[in-house]
Amino acid sequence: MTDQNVPILTPTAIEKMRVAGKLARDVLIMLDDHVKAGVTTEALNQIAHDYMVNEQGTIPAPLNYGSPPFPKSICTSVNHVVCHGIPDDNKVLKDGDIINIDVTVIKDGYFGDTSKMWIIGEGSIMANRLVDVAQKALYAGMATVKNGSYLGDIGAAIEAVVKPERFSIVKEFCGHGISNQFHHAPQVMHAGKKGTGLPLQTGMSFTIEPMINQGKWQTKILPDKWTAITKDRKLSAQWEHTLMVTDNGCEVFTARPEEDLSFLTA
Ligand code: MF3
Ligand code: CO
Ligand code: CO
């Protein structure tokens, strides 16, 4: 532990995080074939749950997490839902929708947490731009991470991507340390000032998961106590990776083969 109670992964823990991260991203890859117009978010939940439990032998971390217990195995956040959307039999995906699916698995006591966006059909120009900017924001945050950089560098880099686009950054939810617990220190803010905050050390592991809004940043929670939506009901997009600080950059435990992360080593 460091002074701010941020655990440093042991070599054994690193190996377990690699396994958990790969399994989490495998769920997103598996879901690709199923995310399309006409499917319900509950059907996606069922497919993901069965795959995690029966094929992977992983535990879906969201199921019964928190209070009130989250009732499903993945989060499905459509259009103006910012995060923590609850899969629902009555929520049918239609052309033009955007959806974030957030998967967290537990394997051998360690957690892999990752999410991505899909656009159903073509999507509006605005939807495409928002989804793209949100991913660029995540990547800009990731690109700052290395031993000796600062937590504030991540938020500053995300702001530098989002502000010129005139989108906004959600402030109520942040990234988080993750290893053998779902959420631990540090809190990873998605806005900040370069050179401020916790100095990062090789072996720290955390998520970066910026939520970017088309309109204003403010959110509200629905009476189900989980679903977060934009107050102005405009679109929101989010991408998430679990990574570990290394001497010269970071290792992305949840990287998918389709991603070009060569910028991280450049
Ligand atoms: N996976 C989310 C995160 O990125 C947390 C989901 S908690 C749940 O931190 F209970 F809603 F699943
Ligand atoms: Co997370
Ligand atoms: Co997540």
Side-chain angles (χ1 to χ4, degrees), residues 182-220:
F182 199 166
H183 299 99
H184 61 62
Q187 283 195 29
V188 180
M189 311 303 289
H190 300 119
K193 200 165 157 350
K194 204 169 143 68
T196 67
L198 180 76
L200 300 183
Q201 286 175 39
T202 297
M204 290 179 173
S205 58
F206 52 83
T207 72
I208 305 177
E209 48 182 301
M211 284 140 276
I212 308 303
N213 292 353
Q214 174 193 353
K216 296 192 191 322
W217 60 264
Q218 282 87 352
T219 65
K220 68 173 214 176

Side-chain angles (χ1 to χ4, degrees), residues 6 164 172 180 188 218 265:
V6 181
E172 297 97 324
N180 57 359
V188 180
Q218 282 87 352
T265 47

Side-chain angles (χ1 to χ4, degrees), residues 36-39 78-79 91-98 119-121:
K36 53 186 180 209
V39 75
V78 179
N79 294 340
K91 184 66 193 172
V92 182
L93 295 184
K94 59 179 195 311
D95 269 345
D97 283 345
I98 63 172
I119 299 171
I120 311 302

Side-chain angles (χ1 to χ4, degrees), residues 110-126:
Y110 282 77
F111 290 72
D113 186 7
T114 185
S115 77
K116 65 168 278 190
M117 298 297 301
W118 283 263
I119 299 171
I120 311 302
E122 296 289 292
S124 66
I125 290 171
M126 175 59 78

Side-chain angles (χ1 to χ4, degrees), residues 102-104 113-115 176 209 240:
D102 193 335
V103 167
T104 311
D113 186 7
T114 185
S115 77
H176 49 93
E209 48 182 301
E240 175 177 23

Side-chain angles (χ1 to χ4, degrees), residues 2-263:
T2 61
D3 51 352
Q4 304 201 39
N5 287 320
V6 181
I8 301 295
L9 297 180
T10 62
T12 312
I14 292 172
E15 203 36 62
K16 291 182 181 190
M17 287 298 285
R18 285 185 179 131
V19 172
K22 184 169 183 306
L23 288 163
R25 69 96 204 241
D26 283 347
V27 179
L28 293 180
I29 294 169
M30 180 279 298
L31 283 170
D32 256 327
D33 283 343
H34 301 279
V35 179
K36 53 186 180 209
V39 75
T40 67
T41 52
E42 170 55 19
L44 295 171
N45 173 68
Q46 199 53 245
I47 291 164
H49 177 92
D50 291 347
Y51 184 77
M52 289 186 265
V53 172
N54 301 326
E55 308 274 328
Q56 294 188 321
T58 57
I59 300 167
L63 187 59
N64 297 317
Y65 178 77
S67 132
F70 191 81
K72 301 289 175 179
S73 297
I74 58 173
C75 298
T76 52
S77 301
V78 179
N79 294 340
H80 64 288
V81 178
V82 173
C83 63
H84 303 163
I86 302 175
D88 184 343
D89 265 324
N90 295 313
K91 184 66 193 172
V92 182
L93 295 184
K94 59 179 195 311
D95 269 345
D97 283 345
I98 63 172
I99 180 172
N100 171 281
I101 300 184
D102 193 335
V103 167
T104 311
V105 305
I106 313 172
K107 183 72 168 185
D108 206 5
Y110 282 77
F111 290 72
D113 186 7
T114 185
S115 77
K116 65 168 278 190
M117 298 297 301
W118 283 263
I119 299 171
I120 311 302
E122 296 289 292
S124 66
I125 290 171
M126 175 59 78
N128 278 273
R129 191 162 74 83
L130 182 68
V131 166
D132 186 56
V133 167
Q135 187 175 39
K136 289 199 165 90
L138 167 61
Y139 287 171
M142 288 162 56
T144 68
V145 173
K146 63 174 184 184
N147 186 55
S149 72
Y150 293 85
L151 213 45
D153 298 354
I154 297 171
I158 291 171
E159 281 192 66
V161 168
V162 173
K163 279 204 173 150
E165 302 287 345
R166 302 174 138 272
F167 292 144
S168 65
I169 302 168
V170 171
K171 298 187 173 48
E172 297 97 324
F173 301 94
C174 46
H176 49 93
I178 181 169
S179 54
N180 57 359
Q181 290 171 56
F182 199 166
H183 299 99
H184 61 62
Q187 283 195 29
V188 180
M189 311 303 289
H190 300 119
K193 200 165 157 350
K194 204 169 143 68
T196 67
L198 180 76
L200 300 183
Q201 286 175 39
T202 297
M204 290 179 173
S205 58
F206 52 83
T207 72
I208 305 177
E209 48 182 301
M211 284 140 276
I212 308 303
N213 292 353
Q214 174 193 353
K216 296 192 191 322
W217 60 264
Q218 282 87 352
T219 65
K220 68 173 214 176
I221 309 283
L222 295 186
D224 64 29
K225 303 264 183 71
W226 277 106
T227 310
I229 66 169
T230 56
K231 263 195 178 159
D232 60 14
R233 302 292 212 277
K234 292 188 176 178
L235 297 175
S236 186
Q238 178 181 31
W239 301 74
E240 175 177 23
H241 274 312
T242 296
L243 55 79
M244 177 185 70
V245 182
T246 63
D247 291 349
N248 300 307
C250 66
E251 177 175 339
V252 185
F253 292 134
T254 49
R256 299 181 303 282
E258 81 211 28
E259 291 181 283
D260 180 6
L261 299 179
S262 56
F263 66 90

